[in-house]
Amino acid sequence: MTKPLDPNLIPKYVNELVVPPVFKPTVVKDPTTGEEISHNYTVSATELKQQLLPRRFPKTPVWGYEGIIEDGTCFSSTPGPTFDAVKGIPVNVQWVNNITGPSFLPVDPTLHWANPNNMPTPEPPFQPFPPGYPLAQSPVPISTHLHGGETRSDSDGNPEAWFTAGEEKTGLAFTKSRFTYPNQQEPTTLWYHDHTLGITRLNVVAGLAGFYLLRDPNSEIEPLLPSGPFEIPIVIQDRSFNEDGSLLFPNEGNNPNIHPYWIPDFLGNAIMVNGKVWPNVDVERRQYRFRILNGSNSRFYNLKLSNGQSFIQIGSDGGFLRCPLTMTELLLGPAERADVLIDFSKVEPGTKIIFTNDAAAPFPAGDPPDDNTGQVMQFTVLDTASVPPVTLPPILNKIPILIPDTPQKILTLNAVLGRNGARELLLDGQRWEAPISELPTVGSTVDWVFANVSRATHPIHIHLIQFQIVSRQLFESDRYLADWLLLNGEPPLQHPTIPLPVEPYLIGKPMEPDLNEQGWKDTIRANPNEVTRMRLRFTPQNVESGDSKPGVNQFSFDPTVGPGYVWHCHILDHEDNDMMRPMKVVSSTIIENNPQTCCQVVVEGNTQLVPPALKDAPISQSKTIFAKIEKVCPEKVVISGFLRKTITYTAVLDSGVKEKNTVTDDLPFQCINDREDANENDSFMITGSTVLCEVAAHTQNFGTHPVTNEQVAFKFVEKDIVKVCIRKSTP
């Protein structure tokens, strides 16, 4: 039986830092012009053993990514080799799953997960791990996501687009394994990692992650920065080990009678950088560019240099900041990136500088780091000639000002507690499988307002776009939560979330984001006891301020195509249970032949029908659409309304007496038409069509009613397309 390895027995800074090699593409050119059309790759997820610990320790079984690298050899590692992509040249990747053995980490089949064998959810008492449940451990599904990429959803690595070895088994959202990345966004540090439903935390700890660096050959800033051997990407990950070199991952849940293996926060006791535990890197006396990624499951890092030296941050998740920032510490939540310049030109040869970490774990109210987790890596300054750094211009990037044109969306971050802490984590009180509630219109700009009523900081990641943080503000979170629960009931909810305005609960004034957060971000920290306002624009980064309009798609692809996107907490242990929600981008504007223009919106909701239970009695339904012109602006006409859905059903009491019941739901919608195609006196008509109608089944128990706490016996879920057409008035 393996025993845990005491991290105090692992010598520090004897490993040398390894820079991941770069994948070599197959370059496809136009046969006539010679122009590069695309860069193509074949990349496999594979099993291997790698020297993560110092050499006197055994190698560690891991999973990594494999492909042809620049020297022409086939190479596999964790982190995987780096994609070095060029703006404007699409990348095509054929992803291959070569993992044929079972998972060596504990797959918890009580979570909502990929479940390739369709095994039933086990009931307590649960089997210990090892061995766990063989039908859960094998085969291993994967789904690779390019984090931060502007990508069509069928190339985004949807959590339900997984596939096993040989694509023998596939998920509900799987359509293909060859993904296209357009590379039209700003140059930046992206990363790719596994994103399989319910086991992302395991597959990433096992090793499935790597860098994707996007460069712009026309950039005026890039030539001024350190390059070649002086540009180093570093991914920081925490891990724990057994004495035989294998990875140690918790195999008993904090609520083991509910989830046998899942815990809310995996926190390793050793720090690994680029696949080496506590490495050293020898640096010349000059400036270096470090592209830093927090690739840990749950751990936050607040990085400082042990000699007190400052450094310069020039970029964040989505590209260059507006101006270079001189800093002495850098806070990064899971999945956040920072583009950092460190100048060693004035440091004495032989000096050893340690990148330290003083962030609590879990963040922000957990334990401080110890002597092990408080150290990340070491820089040893060589005896070389001093090379002064190049002076950067005061302005690095033009960050557009985003102006909302769509009503704000209020969302909550919830923890559902068990006897020993969280039993699941939720967004807006909803589980992953609840009907889609985030349906942004392409081209729209909207504020998402997060009221964090949990006790942790959650790094919120939204797929498809880079966005901006507007502010954070303290609020009375306990009072807000109590009122939210009176309004909605205990989560997980069995009905659409009723939003609760945050304004009556706010304290003090809004706080501006940190200076190094005032740029493009795809992952933003939402702190406890704070309301965090994020501004999302469903338009490419390079669109100028004011040039985006709801319903107008300016991506190089159609974001409404495919299985859709997701948004989630990037603490992977939270994401897997169940702090992730689907998101579908919709197109609201459909231009038809004049003199009529139309737009459409998706109206979605569900209805709970409570006992007495239905037998085989019929259901009848009716719908009425109410709408009015809300306002006419110089650029657009806003029509708001609601779809009233009335459901009538007959229930049968235990006594056999039949009882007629009626439930009414009002589902709101809003439609926006271009002002140039509409006037105040124009008439409009509204039509609707049901695209999904599902009635689930005769006396099944779906939980409790949110108000009466009675058991729910029937569930009605419906999604409608409401089409609004404005006809030009005849003179």
Side-chain angles (χ1 to χ4, degrees):
M1 182 176 180
T2 58
K3 294 182 179 179
L5 175 62
D6 182 351
N8 293 300
L9 300 179
I10 305 172
K12 296 179 177 65
Y13 314 126
V14 296
N15 272 332
E16 285 299 319
L17 182 75
V18 173
V19 178
V22 174
F23 281 123
K24 181 180 181 179
T26 298
V27 179
V28 179
K29 297 184 178 181
D30 185 302
T32 303
T33 65
E35 179 185 1
E36 294 187 6
I37 298 173
S38 69
H39 290 174
N40 297 350
Y41 303 82
T42 297
V43 177
S44 303
T46 190
E47 302 158 280
L48 68 147
K49 288 187 175 183
Q50 187 168 317
Q51 193 72 52
L52 309 183
L53 295 162
R55 289 196 176 275
R56 70 179 179 86
F57 293 90
K59 290 185 176 181
T60 301
V62 294
W63 296 339
Y65 288 104
E66 180 178 84
I68 303 300
I69 59 174
E70 285 182 316
D71 66 5
T73 63
C74 185
F75 186 85
S76 59
S77 65
T78 178
T82 298
F83 290 92
D84 210 336
V86 181
K87 183 175 181 178
I89 301 179
V91 159
N92 298 304
V93 182
Q94 176 60 61
W95 296 104
V96 179
N97 186 350
N98 279 340
I99 299 174
T100 56
S103 178
F104 53 82
L105 299 177
V107 177
D108 194 325
T110 64
L111 305 181
H112 187 188
W113 71 294
N115 197 6
N117 290 318
N118 291 316
M119 67 171 288
T121 302
E123 299 288 340
F126 298 111
Q127 296 182 20
F129 184 91
Y133 294 86
L135 289 178
Q137 297 300 125
S138 181
V140 173
I142 67 167
S143 179
T144 306
H145 167 57
L146 176 58
H147 182 115
E150 287 183 1
T151 307
R152 206 170 81 165
S153 73
D154 55 3
S155 289
D156 189 54
N158 187 284
E160 300 210 70
W162 52 264
F163 57 97
T164 62
E167 299 183 15
E168 181 179 348
K169 297 182 179 183
T170 58
L172 294 175
F174 177 85
T175 57
K176 61 179 184 177
S177 54
R178 187 176 189 264
F179 289 180
T180 297
Y181 306 123
N183 294 329
Q184 295 293 336
Q185 62 199 94
E186 287 194 16
T188 192
T189 305
L190 306 174
W191 65 302
Y192 64 101
H193 64 83
D194 186 78
H195 211 297
T196 306
L197 185 69
I199 56 172
T200 297
R201 71 197 187 286
L202 306 179
N203 288 2
V204 172
V205 164
L208 295 183
F211 280 101
Y212 187 108
L213 306 182
L214 179 57
R215 305 182 188 277
D216 183 359
N218 298 316
S219 170
E220 296 179 356
I221 303 300
E222 288 274 352
L224 305 176
L225 301 176
S227 60
F230 311 113
E231 178 191 28
I232 302 177
I234 58 173
V235 53
I236 307 172
Q237 300 168 300
D238 56 339
R239 296 289 184 266
S240 295
F241 296 88
N242 292 306
E243 289 181 347
D244 64 358
S246 63
L247 292 171
L248 172 63
F249 196 85
N251 59 9
E252 182 175 344
N254 64 318
N255 284 288
N257 293 326
I258 302 169
H259 302 302
Y261 318 132
W262 177 84
I263 62 168
D265 293 283
F266 166 67
L267 298 167
N269 56 28
I271 305 299
M272 182 174 76
V273 180
N274 289 4
K276 294 290 185 180
V277 175
W278 288 302
N280 173 80
V281 58
D282 293 336
V283 293
E284 297 183 17
R285 299 178 69 218
R286 59 178 301 146
Q287 188 182 72
Y288 280 73
R289 180 184 186 185
F290 293 98
R291 294 178 178 247
I292 305 173
L293 159 65
N294 180 352
S296 295
N297 279 29
S298 298
R299 187 179 292 278
F300 288 65
Y301 297 93
N302 193 48
L303 301 172
K304 301 177 183 179
L305 294 171
S306 60
N307 65 344
Q309 180 179 333
S310 63
F311 48 86
I312 298 173
Q313 184 174 350
I314 58 173
S316 59
D317 302 344
F320 291 124
L321 296 170
R322 182 177 286 105
C323 55
L325 298 173
T326 299
M327 308 170 65
T328 56
E329 59 185 84
L330 172 66
L331 177 63
L332 290 177
E336 288 190 293
R337 283 95 67 208
D339 202 341
V340 168
L341 303 178
I342 303 179
D343 181 17
F344 300 101
S345 65
K346 297 179 181 180
V347 180
E348 287 296 317
T351 301
K352 297 182 183 297
I353 304 170
I354 295 173
F355 235 160
T356 65
N357 163 48
D358 63 7
F363 190 82
D367 297 326
D370 59 20
D371 288 341
N372 295 313
T373 56
Q375 301 183 59
V376 175
M377 63 181 293
Q378 178 179 269
F379 306 96
T380 298
V381 181
L382 300 176
D383 188 3
T384 60
S386 177
V387 179
V390 174
T391 301
L392 294 177
I395 302 298
L396 301 177
N397 197 6
K398 180 181 178 182
I399 307 294
I401 298 173
L402 306 185
I403 302 172
D405 51 28
T406 302
Q408 71 178 16
K409 191 171 186 65
I410 300 171
L411 300 153
T412 58
L413 309 177
N414 309 81
V416 180
L417 301 180
R419 177 175 295 179
N420 299 305
R423 56 184 294 177
E424 61 185 331
L425 289 300
L426 301 176
L427 298 169
D428 219 26
Q430 302 287 347
R431 284 178 169 159
W432 163 259
E433 66 267 26
I436 301 175
S437 50
E438 281 63 62
L439 297 156
T441 300
V442 66
S444 66
T445 304
V446 59
D447 283 358
W448 283 14
V449 181
F450 290 92
N452 187 351
V453 294
S454 76
R455 295 293 178 260
T457 294
H458 299 281
I460 300 299
H461 173 48
I462 301 169
H463 287 214
L464 172 63
I465 58 170
Q466 298 287 333
F467 48 96
Q468 296 178 12
I469 179 170
V470 178
S471 66
R472 297 183 177 97
Q473 190 167 359
L474 294 172
F475 79 124
E476 297 177 82
S477 58
D478 290 342
R479 186 165 71 90
Y480 182 92
L481 175 59
D483 291 348
W484 188 92
L485 291 172
L486 285 176
L487 188 66
N488 284 282
E490 290 287 343
L493 303 182
Q494 303 295 322
H495 60 89
T497 307
I498 303 169
L500 179 63
V502 299
E503 285 74 14
Y505 306 87
L506 296 175
I507 300 172
K509 295 181 179 180
M511 299 172 285
E512 288 191 351
D514 295 339
L515 290 175
N516 66 338
E517 295 179 305
Q518 296 180 20
W520 289 113
K521 295 281 291 175
D522 56 49
T523 307
I524 287 177
R525 301 184 301 275
N527 297 322
N529 303 313
E530 291 181 0
V531 169
T532 304
R533 182 178 294 270
M534 306 177 188
R535 188 155 294 164
L536 286 57
R537 188 180 69 168
F538 291 88
T539 297
Q541 280 180 281
N542 58 7
V543 173
E544 296 288 336
S545 298
D547 286 354
S548 61
K549 294 182 179 181
V552 178
N553 178 30
Q554 298 187 62
F555 290 104
S556 61
F557 53 88
D558 186 351
T560 69
V561 171
Y565 302 92
V566 300
W567 65 284
H568 57 90
C569 172
H570 218 286
I571 293 177
L572 300 185
D573 310 285
H574 295 185
E575 171 188 335
D576 280 349
N577 183 30
D578 208 28
M579 209 169 191
M580 179 167 63
R581 292 283 292 137
M583 178 181 75
K584 184 75 173 176
V585 178
V586 298
S587 177
S588 67
T589 301
I590 301 176
I591 304 299
E592 297 184 349
N593 293 332
N594 279 336
Q596 181 171 285
T597 63
C598 300
C599 62
Q600 67 181 25
V601 290
V602 177
V603 182
E604 186 170 16
N606 65 13
T607 300
Q608 303 299 319
L609 308 183
V610 300
L614 283 158
K615 301 278 178 141
D616 297 317
I619 294 176
S620 63
Q621 62 162 313
S622 63
K623 302 174 193 173
T624 307
I625 297 174
F626 301 86
K628 64 179 181 179
I629 294 180
E630 180 179 295
K631 60 182 177 179
V632 179
C633 305
E635 295 183 349
K636 61 193 175 187
V637 174
V638 180
I639 299 173
S640 293
F642 61 91
L643 178 72
R644 174 161 291 170
K645 180 176 65 180
T646 303
I647 301 172
T648 303
Y649 67 101
T650 300
V652 181
L653 304 181
D654 293 338
S655 63
V657 176
K658 294 183 178 181
E659 183 177 273
K660 192 172 184 179
N661 293 275
T662 299
V663 176
T664 299
D665 271 0
D666 290 340
L667 307 176
F669 67 86
Q670 185 178 78
C671 188
I672 300 175
N673 281 77
D674 287 346
R675 175 66 175 82
E676 61 187 3
D677 294 319
N679 298 300
E680 288 90 338
N681 296 322
D682 292 340
S683 60
F684 63 91
M685 63 180 182
I686 299 176
T687 61
S689 62
T690 298
V691 295
L692 171 67
C693 178
E694 176 185 334
V695 178
H698 312 291
T699 70
Q700 293 187 45
N701 178 19
F702 287 89
T704 58
H705 188 279
V707 176
T708 66
N709 287 324
E710 294 178 293
Q711 287 188 327
V712 173
F714 218 97
K715 183 179 183 182
F716 188 94
V717 181
E718 188 171 61
K719 187 195 303 182
D720 293 271
I721 297 292
V722 175
K723 190 174 184 181
V724 181
C725 296
I726 297 181
R727 183 172 295 278
K728 304 288 286 185
S729 298
T730 55

